[in-house]
Amino acid sequence: MKMLMMALAIIALAASPVLANQCPLLVKQVQDATAGKTDDASKKAVALANEAKALHDAGKHAESVAKADEAAKAINLTLKKK
């Protein structure tokens, strides 16, 4: 059990830099897709993208990616991930 916990910790540490670099790219994709749009779905997506950016800034990268996914889903956008 101890070995499993150590392995999971190592994987989490290795994945964090990848997620950290990906967050702004995902947020930008949502922002670009909603630029100039005022429909309710776009407004919701922009709000969720802003939350994703705030989570990224707080160092919560996995949560930021999940929030960006939620934003993209609101406007039926398929995000291009690394």
Side-chain angles (χ1 to χ4, degrees):
M1 185 67 169
K2 196 174 201 179
M3 293 294 287
L4 176 63
M5 295 303 286
M6 285 180 58
L8 290 175
I10 290 170
I11 290 170
L13 288 174
S16 290
V18 172
L19 292 175
N21 292 330
Q22 183 166 256
C23 304
L25 299 174
L26 300 178
V27 169
K28 183 167 180 359
Q29 289 176 54
V30 174
Q31 290 172 337
D32 290 347
T34 57
K37 296 183 180 178
T38 58
D39 59 284
D40 289 340
S42 294
K43 288 178 184 177
K44 179 179 179 181
V46 167
L48 291 168
N50 290 337
E51 289 180 38
K53 184 180 181 323
L55 288 165
H56 167 76
D57 292 343
K60 299 178 180 181
H61 303 293
E63 293 174 41
S64 176
V65 170
K67 193 61 74 171
D69 284 335
E70 189 179 341
K73 188 175 179 180
I75 54 172
N76 297 316
L77 174 68
T78 302
L79 294 174
K80 295 176 185 156
K81 297 181 180 179
K82 288 184 177 180

